[in-house]
Amino acid sequence: MHKHIKISIFAILGFFQIGLAQDDKKDIGTETVTVVKAYAPTISDAFKVKSMPTLNDSIVLQKKPINYSIFSVPVVSTFTPAKGKASGVKKTPPEKIYNSYASVGLGNYNNALVDFYTSSALNRDERLDLSLNHHSSRGEIDGTALDNVFYNTKLDANYTKKDRDLSWGANIGAQHQLYNWYGIPNGYYTEETVNGIDEKQNYFNVFAGGFVEVEDSFFKSVNLEVRRFWDATKSGENRAVLKPAFEFPLGDELLTLKAKVDYLGGKFENGQVANDSNIPGIDYSHLQAGINPNINILGDDLSLNLGVNLVYGMDLENSEGNFYIYPTITASYRLLDEVAIAYGGVEGELKQNSFYNFVEENPYVSPTLDIQPTDQQYDAYIGLKGQLLPNLSYNLKGSYTAENRKPLFILNPENTSRTDEKGYFYGNSFQVFYDDVKTLGVFGELNVDVNRNFSLGINVQVNDYDTETDNPAWNLPGLTASTFMDYQIGEKWFLGANLFYVGERDDLYTVASPGTLPENFTMEAKTLESYFDANAHIGYRVNKQLSVFARANNIANQNYMRWNNYQVQGFQVLAGATYKFDL
């Protein structure tokens, strides 16, 4: 009861207070507050409460030491973990490389081919290489009055030794070639005259050489070549060539000094075919000595070689000599990385012509040649090469060459008054005619690697000749072109083909008259037709050591003439086998 009375009294007083407050709000009045100083609060330093307060209690409990011990109980276990084994990766075994091979082939026209090669490592630093090559034919070519047998056999041996700072080697070899001067058409001479002609010519070649190369020395290398070459008409020549090379630092660049001493001497037993008699013979002897200093400057995109070739040439037989100065300047500039590289140069040299070199180019020359060096004043060229695509490369070049005493092959006169033992004076052999020739040339080449198994290439050479004598450039074509293809079909089969085209050439047929000067001989200009030749080969690998092959030459069966009155064999097929082995 008392509780309810107290609550009622508090409620009455509360309502009374609210009523007074509402009355006071009606007349609250106003007051003015003047701020004398701006408020500038300050912050007192804070004191961090220690996490572990100090106890000042008089009674502090001490920690009792506790000792731990392990009660070991032996457990018997018979588990033995298995040893881990690394997972193996299957490797492709390396291809077996054999150090020797032998190849034999036979075909129509009684063509025969034999090749043998071996390369043996005597020890870590020494190697001996041996090779034997033979190619022969005993077939008959239609339309020729004389036999056209030929063969070419060459044996070569090389020894090399490479040390850390010195490498050297030596080689020796021999070669025998047989060719016939068969360039007489059927019916031109009587059978009696033809039967009395000895048309066979034998060439013999023995050569040796050596080299030395040194590292980390101003003396870099030296090469020596020695050759003895002779034939069945008692003609022969000797040649020795020595080529040392040195390098010297020149500031940031390198000065290279190359030297050359070239001796050539020989004798032809018989005189030139234009003479009424085969006597006297022809003696020749030439010596060249020269130096070629040059500086190679390399930049990021530019490569420049600046040099000069100084040569003194002596005609020892006639006791004459001349001094020659030739430029040797080459440069290349990378225009667009590997896409376009510009290159050019101007180079010259005194070329040492020889009986051996002429036979290598034209085996039907007579052993009555005039041997002189060629003064190539300059060969100026400029070109552009590169890769348009990763598998497509090209090369374009234009050139202009000036040569004095350039050798040109031309038919020997028909001079039946001669009494030489060999029958090369029936208009069936060639002499060397020297002329001053300027040549303007354009060359283009394109190579495509379709993939790693298929490649294709083509090149074209166009030349325009200007001679000092206003004669044609005898037996030089104005246009040559060739193309090739190689295709690897899987692991077993492979094949290839090559085609080449040679444009027209000019020659001159003359008939000698006793007691008449050569310029008054009867002459007839000859134009040799252009020709196209196609060749192909195919092969099959029976196993890693044995493969068989077949070759087809002159597939179009054209009876063209490489030299005047010298027809080639028609369609030829040759098949054989190659065997690889260790020796």
Side-chain angles (χ1 to χ4, degrees):
M1 182 71 178
H2 292 286
K3 181 177 180 180
H4 293 288
I5 293 173
K6 289 181 180 180
I7 293 173
S8 300
I9 293 173
F10 283 123
I12 294 171
L13 291 175
F15 285 115
F16 179 76
Q17 183 67 26
I18 293 172
L20 291 176
Q22 290 177 347
D23 292 340
D24 293 340
K25 184 177 179 181
K26 295 179 181 179
D27 190 15
I28 190 172
T30 59
E31 291 185 4
T32 300
V33 178
T34 301
V35 178
V36 178
K37 182 180 178 182
Y39 178 66
T42 59
I43 300 176
S44 301
D45 295 334
F47 297 95
K48 181 179 179 182
V49 178
K50 295 181 179 180
S51 59
M52 294 295 293
T54 302
L55 299 177
N56 295 323
D57 195 351
S58 59
I59 300 175
V60 178
L61 296 176
Q62 298 294 329
K63 293 182 180 181
K64 294 182 179 181
I66 300 176
N67 296 325
Y68 297 92
S69 61
I70 298 175
F71 180 69
S72 299
V73 177
V75 178
V76 178
S77 176
T78 59
F79 173 72
T80 303
K83 295 181 179 180
K85 184 178 181 181
S87 178
V89 178
K90 187 177 181 180
K91 297 181 180 180
T92 302
E95 183 179 356
K96 171 66 176 178
I97 299 177
Y98 299 93
N99 65 3
S100 306
Y101 78 87
S103 181
V104 178
L106 296 174
N108 62 337
Y109 292 98
N110 290 322
N111 288 335
L113 177 69
V114 176
D115 280 331
F116 170 77
Y117 175 79
T118 182
S119 178
S120 301
L122 304 180
N123 52 48
R124 183 177 179 181
D125 303 322
E126 297 176 278
R127 179 170 293 276
L128 178 64
D129 300 333
L130 297 173
S131 66
L132 173 66
N133 308 103
H134 171 81
H135 185 202
S136 63
S137 175
R138 297 185 178 275
E140 295 293 333
I141 299 177
D142 295 336
T144 60
L146 301 173
D147 290 339
N148 43 74
V149 176
F150 85 91
Y151 69 79
N152 187 350
T153 303
K154 184 177 181 181
L155 176 64
D156 196 358
N158 291 272
Y159 169 82
T160 56
K161 179 176 176 57
K162 294 184 177 181
D163 293 327
R164 181 176 180 181
D165 300 322
L166 176 68
S167 300
W168 66 277
N171 72 290
I172 188 171
Q175 184 179 17
H176 178 207
Q177 302 175 77
L178 183 147
Y179 289 92
N180 285 6
W181 290 293
Y182 68 88
I184 297 177
N186 280 332
Y188 190 83
Y189 291 105
T190 64
E191 184 177 353
E192 181 182 0
T193 301
V194 170
N195 292 335
I197 297 175
D198 182 3
E199 70 275 20
K200 291 184 179 180
Q201 169 67 301
N202 287 274
Y203 298 112
F204 304 93
N205 177 29
V206 176
F207 55 91
F211 74 92
V212 176
E213 296 178 352
V214 183
E215 298 291 338
D216 300 327
S217 173
F218 72 93
F219 173 74
K220 300 306 296 181
S221 65
V222 62
N223 287 269
L224 175 64
E225 299 177 7
V226 179
R227 183 185 306 277
R228 169 65 181 174
F229 183 73
W230 71 100
D231 68 359
T233 65
K234 301 179 182 179
S235 300
E237 70 177 12
N238 302 313
R239 188 176 184 182
V241 182
L242 180 67
K243 297 180 180 179
F246 307 87
E247 286 184 354
F248 305 94
L250 187 64
D252 295 333
E253 310 301 337
L254 193 65
L255 174 64
T256 301
L257 181 63
K258 298 179 181 179
K260 179 181 178 181
V261 179
D262 189 343
Y263 169 78
L264 176 72
K267 179 181 180 179
F268 292 109
E269 194 72 15
N270 300 312
Q272 294 183 356
V273 177
N275 299 338
D276 294 338
S277 173
N278 63 336
I279 57 174
I282 303 172
D283 295 333
Y284 59 94
S285 181
H286 299 279
L287 177 63
Q288 297 180 12
I291 57 173
N292 173 216
N294 61 81
I295 299 176
N296 193 14
I297 302 174
L298 298 176
D300 293 336
D301 297 317
L302 176 67
S303 176
L304 178 63
N305 185 81
L306 302 174
V308 63
N309 190 10
L310 308 174
V311 183
Y312 186 74
M314 291 172 283
D315 184 347
L316 301 179
E317 192 66 29
N318 298 312
S319 301
E320 297 178 353
N322 290 291
F323 185 71
Y324 302 88
I325 301 177
Y326 301 105
T328 55
I329 301 173
T330 61
S332 65
Y333 183 74
R334 200 178 298 271
L335 297 174
L336 295 172
D337 293 331
E338 299 297 328
V339 177
I341 300 174
Y343 65 94
V346 181
E347 300 179 88
E349 62 175 321
L350 185 63
K351 296 181 179 179
Q352 186 81 289
N353 296 313
S354 67
F355 184 29
Y356 169 78
N357 291 337
F358 288 145
V359 169
E360 287 293 294
E361 188 174 355
N362 183 353
Y364 309 111
V365 293
S366 63
T368 60
L369 303 179
D370 179 20
I371 305 296
Q372 298 182 30
T374 296
D375 173 21
Q376 181 179 291
Q377 295 178 314
Y378 57 86
D379 177 15
Y381 57 91
I382 186 171
L384 186 68
K385 63 182 179 179
Q387 286 186 292
L388 299 176
L389 297 172
N391 61 345
L392 177 62
S393 62
Y394 69 95
N395 185 14
L396 301 173
K397 184 177 74 170
S399 63
Y400 186 76
T401 306
E403 297 172 283
N404 294 334
R405 299 188 304 273
K406 181 179 178 64
L408 305 173
F409 295 108
I410 187 173
L411 274 173
N412 270 314
E414 178 186 344
N415 191 354
T416 55
S417 63
R418 295 276 290 233
T419 59
D420 304 47
E421 294 182 2
K422 296 292 183 178
Y424 52 79
F425 48 84
Y426 294 91
N428 58 336
S429 65
F430 293 84
Q431 61 178 309
V432 176
F433 178 82
Y434 293 95
D435 203 344
D436 296 344
V437 182
K438 293 180 173 61
T439 306
L440 177 64
V442 177
F443 173 79
E445 183 180 34
L446 192 66
N447 293 296
V448 182
D449 294 326
V450 179
N451 53 49
R452 62 183 301 177
N453 296 324
F454 182 69
S455 61
L456 179 68
I458 184 172
N459 63 74
V460 178
Q461 176 76 50
V462 180
N463 290 328
D464 181 68
Y465 306 100
D466 181 18
T467 63
E468 182 69 20
T469 60
D470 292 331
N471 293 318
W474 304 117
N475 278 296
L476 291 182
L479 173 64
T480 58
S482 65
T483 182
F484 72 90
M485 182 271 291
D486 286 305
Y487 187 28
Q488 177 70 45
I489 309 174
E491 296 181 357
K492 296 291 187 179
W493 290 93
F494 59 92
L495 60 87
N498 64 79
L499 303 90
F500 59 90
Y501 171 86
V502 177
E504 294 182 346
R505 290 92 61 218
D506 294 305
D507 206 335
L508 187 67
Y509 187 81
T510 60
V511 179
S513 299
T516 305
L517 296 176
E519 55 267 25
N520 296 325
F521 289 170
T522 301
M523 302 181 183
E524 181 183 358
K526 297 286 187 178
T527 299
L528 280 71
E529 296 181 355
S530 60
Y531 63 87
F532 174 83
D533 201 339
N535 309 296
H537 67 271
I538 187 171
Y540 178 77
R541 295 183 177 90
V542 180
N543 52 45
K544 294 182 179 180
Q545 291 182 264
L546 178 64
S547 62
V548 294
F549 63 87
R551 299 177 183 176
N553 296 329
N554 196 5
I555 297 175
N557 196 28
Q558 292 189 347
N559 294 322
Y560 64 84
M561 292 185 294
R562 173 63 184 91
W563 305 101
N564 192 29
N565 289 334
Y566 281 88
Q567 293 184 352
V568 301
Q569 295 177 351
F571 178 64
Q572 308 155 46
V573 176
L574 183 144
T578 300
Y579 184 73
K580 301 177 182 179
F581 57 95
D582 283 328
L583 190 64

